[in-house]
Amino acid sequence: MLEPDPKVVRELLTRYATLRIAQAERENPATARELADVSYTLCVMMATTGVHDAVAKADLLLLAKGRPAPEVPAADTGEERGLSLAV
């Protein structure tokens, strides 16, 4: 399986986040269409059927390419875990 270029993935995530914010601030049909296009592209690029899964996989890809993944606790200790900024 081909792996997406991390640079392109980062650009798509940035565009996705920007469009989500813009749409939340003021609904606009043009922004909604562009958000749908970017969401679809992310899904295709990350081989998923849902944008939330695509964002999660994109985050993991960028983590793997940029630095070692953070240690994940074996059991739920009640610690607060960070959320992706791209969601």
mmCIF file of all heavy atoms in Angstrom, residues 64-85:
data_model
loop_
_atom_site.group_PDB
_atom_site.id
_atom_site.type_symbol
_atom_site.label_atom_id
_atom_site.label_comp_id
_atom_site.label_asym_id
_atom_site.label_seq_id
_atom_site.Cartn_x
_atom_site.Cartn_y
_atom_site.Cartn_z
ATOM 1 N N ALA A 64 4.307 9.332 13.501
ATOM 2 C CA ALA A 64 5.294 8.319 13.152
ATOM 3 C C ALA A 64 6.434 8.903 12.326
ATOM 4 O O ALA A 64 7.583 8.489 12.455
ATOM 5 C CB ALA A 64 4.626 7.176 12.390
ATOM 6 N N LYS A 65 6.133 9.865 11.492
ATOM 7 C CA LYS A 65 7.148 10.460 10.630
ATOM 8 C C LYS A 65 7.944 11.558 11.334
ATOM 9 O O LYS A 65 9.068 11.828 10.979
ATOM 10 C CB LYS A 65 6.507 11.050 9.363
ATOM 11 C CG LYS A 65 5.917 10.028 8.455
ATOM 12 C CD LYS A 65 6.996 9.091 7.966
ATOM 13 C CE LYS A 65 6.418 8.010 7.083
ATOM 14 N NZ LYS A 65 7.417 7.050 6.671
ATOM 15 N N GLY A 66 7.316 12.188 12.340
ATOM 16 C CA GLY A 66 7.969 13.323 12.968
ATOM 17 C C GLY A 66 8.754 12.997 14.218
ATOM 18 O O GLY A 66 9.812 13.529 14.461
ATOM 19 N N ARG A 67 8.229 12.101 15.023
ATOM 20 C CA ARG A 67 8.881 11.767 16.296
ATOM 21 C C ARG A 67 8.286 10.457 16.801
ATOM 22 O O ARG A 67 7.241 10.026 16.329
ATOM 23 C CB ARG A 67 8.668 12.876 17.306
ATOM 24 C CG ARG A 67 7.225 13.111 17.675
ATOM 25 C CD ARG A 67 7.129 14.271 18.669
ATOM 26 N NE ARG A 67 5.789 14.398 19.152
ATOM 27 C CZ ARG A 67 4.838 15.144 18.596
ATOM 28 N NH1 ARG A 67 5.114 15.828 17.516
ATOM 29 N NH2 ARG A 67 3.650 15.221 19.121
ATOM 30 N N PRO A 68 8.932 9.844 17.768
ATOM 31 C CA PRO A 68 8.384 8.605 18.311
ATOM 32 C C PRO A 68 7.014 8.846 18.942
ATOM 33 O O PRO A 68 6.756 9.909 19.499
ATOM 34 C CB PRO A 68 9.397 8.199 19.394
ATOM 35 C CG PRO A 68 10.581 9.064 19.212
ATOM 36 C CD PRO A 68 10.180 10.238 18.374
ATOM 37 N N ALA A 69 6.149 7.863 18.835
ATOM 38 C CA ALA A 69 4.803 7.968 19.406
ATOM 39 C C ALA A 69 4.899 8.024 20.928
ATOM 40 O O ALA A 69 5.768 7.404 21.523
ATOM 41 C CB ALA A 69 3.957 6.784 18.968
ATOM 42 N N PRO A 70 4.005 8.777 21.557
ATOM 43 C CA PRO A 70 4.036 8.852 23.016
ATOM 44 C C PRO A 70 3.652 7.517 23.635
ATOM 45 O O PRO A 70 2.949 6.714 23.022
ATOM 46 C CB PRO A 70 2.983 9.917 23.342
ATOM 47 C CG PRO A 70 2.102 9.972 22.149
ATOM 48 C CD PRO A 70 2.947 9.569 20.973
ATOM 49 N N GLU A 71 4.140 7.288 24.854
ATOM 50 C CA GLU A 71 3.826 6.059 25.559
ATOM 51 C C GLU A 71 2.361 6.061 25.963
ATOM 52 O O GLU A 71 1.848 7.044 26.468
ATOM 53 C CB GLU A 71 4.688 5.972 26.814
ATOM 54 C CG GLU A 71 5.310 4.621 27.005
ATOM 55 C CD GLU A 71 6.217 4.606 28.196
ATOM 56 O OE1 GLU A 71 7.383 4.992 28.040
ATOM 57 O OE2 GLU A 71 5.730 4.232 29.271
ATOM 58 N N VAL A 72 1.680 4.962 25.710
ATOM 59 C CA VAL A 72 0.263 4.845 26.054
ATOM 60 C C VAL A 72 0.154 3.940 27.275
ATOM 61 O O VAL A 72 0.702 2.835 27.279
ATOM 62 C CB VAL A 72 -0.538 4.242 24.876
ATOM 63 C CG1 VAL A 72 -1.988 4.064 25.244
ATOM 64 C CG2 VAL A 72 -0.383 5.114 23.648
ATOM 65 N N PRO A 73 -0.542 4.390 28.331
ATOM 66 C CA PRO A 73 -0.693 3.538 29.518
ATOM 67 C C PRO A 73 -1.405 2.234 29.171
ATOM 68 O O PRO A 73 -2.312 2.217 28.342
ATOM 69 C CB PRO A 73 -1.547 4.370 30.466
ATOM 70 C CG PRO A 73 -1.573 5.745 29.915
ATOM 71 C CD PRO A 73 -1.204 5.661 28.474
ATOM 72 N N ALA A 74 -0.998 1.139 29.830
ATOM 73 C CA ALA A 74 -1.585 -0.175 29.560
ATOM 74 C C ALA A 74 -3.034 -0.248 30.018
ATOM 75 O O ALA A 74 -3.863 -0.861 29.377
ATOM 76 C CB ALA A 74 -0.767 -1.260 30.238
ATOM 77 N N ALA A 75 -3.354 0.371 31.126
ATOM 78 C CA ALA A 75 -4.724 0.361 31.645
ATOM 79 C C ALA A 75 -5.177 1.800 31.818
ATOM 80 O O ALA A 75 -4.371 2.705 31.961
ATOM 81 C CB ALA A 75 -4.769 -0.362 32.981
ATOM 82 N N ASP A 76 -6.485 1.991 31.806
ATOM 83 C CA ASP A 76 -7.027 3.326 31.995
ATOM 84 C C ASP A 76 -6.817 3.737 33.449
ATOM 85 O O ASP A 76 -7.411 3.183 34.356
ATOM 86 C CB ASP A 76 -8.514 3.359 31.639
ATOM 87 C CG ASP A 76 -9.062 4.765 31.629
ATOM 88 O OD1 ASP A 76 -8.268 5.727 31.732
ATOM 89 O OD2 ASP A 76 -10.291 4.914 31.517
ATOM 90 N N THR A 77 -5.945 4.717 33.641
ATOM 91 C CA THR A 77 -5.620 5.157 34.997
ATOM 92 C C THR A 77 -6.394 6.404 35.377
ATOM 93 O O THR A 77 -6.154 6.978 36.419
ATOM 94 C CB THR A 77 -4.112 5.449 35.110
ATOM 95 O OG1 THR A 77 -3.794 6.476 34.156
ATOM 96 C CG2 THR A 77 -3.288 4.211 34.839
ATOM 97 N N GLY A 78 -7.286 6.825 34.513
ATOM 98 C CA GLY A 78 -8.061 8.033 34.783
ATOM 99 C C GLY A 78 -7.331 9.296 34.400
ATOM 100 O O GLY A 78 -7.820 10.392 34.618
ATOM 101 N N GLU A 79 -6.135 9.153 33.811
ATOM 102 C CA GLU A 79 -5.385 10.321 33.376
ATOM 103 C C GLU A 79 -6.094 10.985 32.208
ATOM 104 O O GLU A 79 -6.692 10.328 31.372
ATOM 105 C CB GLU A 79 -3.976 9.922 32.903
ATOM 106 C CG GLU A 79 -3.091 9.423 33.993
ATOM 107 C CD GLU A 79 -1.733 9.009 33.423
ATOM 108 O OE1 GLU A 79 -1.371 9.502 32.341
ATOM 109 O OE2 GLU A 79 -1.061 8.204 34.061
ATOM 110 N N GLU A 80 -5.987 12.298 32.165
ATOM 111 C CA GLU A 80 -6.547 13.014 31.034
ATOM 112 C C GLU A 80 -5.588 12.856 29.859
ATOM 113 O O GLU A 80 -4.394 13.038 29.996
ATOM 114 C CB GLU A 80 -6.694 14.487 31.385
ATOM 115 C CG GLU A 80 -7.413 15.266 30.338
ATOM 116 C CD GLU A 80 -7.668 16.704 30.761
ATOM 117 O OE1 GLU A 80 -7.948 16.930 31.942
ATOM 118 O OE2 GLU A 80 -7.539 17.572 29.898
ATOM 119 N N ARG A 81 -6.134 12.515 28.716
ATOM 120 C CA ARG A 81 -5.295 12.357 27.522
ATOM 121 C C ARG A 81 -5.554 13.537 26.599
ATOM 122 O O ARG A 81 -6.664 14.017 26.484
ATOM 123 C CB ARG A 81 -5.647 11.056 26.803
ATOM 124 C CG ARG A 81 -5.271 9.856 27.622
ATOM 125 C CD ARG A 81 -5.432 8.592 26.806
ATOM 126 N NE ARG A 81 -5.126 7.461 27.630
ATOM 127 C CZ ARG A 81 -5.949 6.454 27.839
ATOM 128 N NH1 ARG A 81 -7.125 6.428 27.271
ATOM 129 N NH2 ARG A 81 -5.604 5.455 28.609
ATOM 130 N N GLY A 82 -4.493 13.958 25.895
ATOM 131 C CA GLY A 82 -4.621 15.078 24.966
ATOM 132 C C GLY A 82 -5.422 14.696 23.747
ATOM 133 O O GLY A 82 -5.432 13.553 23.315
ATOM 134 N N LEU A 83 -6.140 15.662 23.190
ATOM 135 C CA LEU A 83 -6.904 15.445 21.975
ATOM 136 C C LEU A 83 -6.165 16.074 20.817
ATOM 137 O O LEU A 83 -5.437 17.039 20.967
ATOM 138 C CB LEU A 83 -8.295 16.099 22.100
ATOM 139 C CG LEU A 83 -9.199 15.500 23.155
ATOM 140 C CD1 LEU A 83 -10.489 16.313 23.242
ATOM 141 C CD2 LEU A 83 -9.520 14.067 22.829
ATOM 142 N N SER A 84 -6.377 15.514 19.656
ATOM 143 C CA SER A 84 -5.774 16.052 18.457
ATOM 144 C C SER A 84 -6.322 17.453 18.192
ATOM 145 O O SER A 84 -7.508 17.704 18.329
ATOM 146 C CB SER A 84 -6.110 15.141 17.286
ATOM 147 O OG SER A 84 -5.785 15.763 16.079
ATOM 148 N N LEU A 85 -5.445 18.353 17.818
ATOM 149 C CA LEU A 85 -5.885 19.700 17.486
ATOM 150 C C LEU A 85 -6.600 19.747 16.150
ATOM 151 O O LEU A 85 -7.319 20.688 15.873
ATOM 152 C CB LEU A 85 -4.677 20.643 17.452
ATOM 153 C CG LEU A 85 -3.991 20.865 18.791
ATOM 154 C CD1 LEU A 85 -2.767 21.739 18.593
ATOM 155 C CD2 LEU A 85 -4.928 21.508 19.784
#
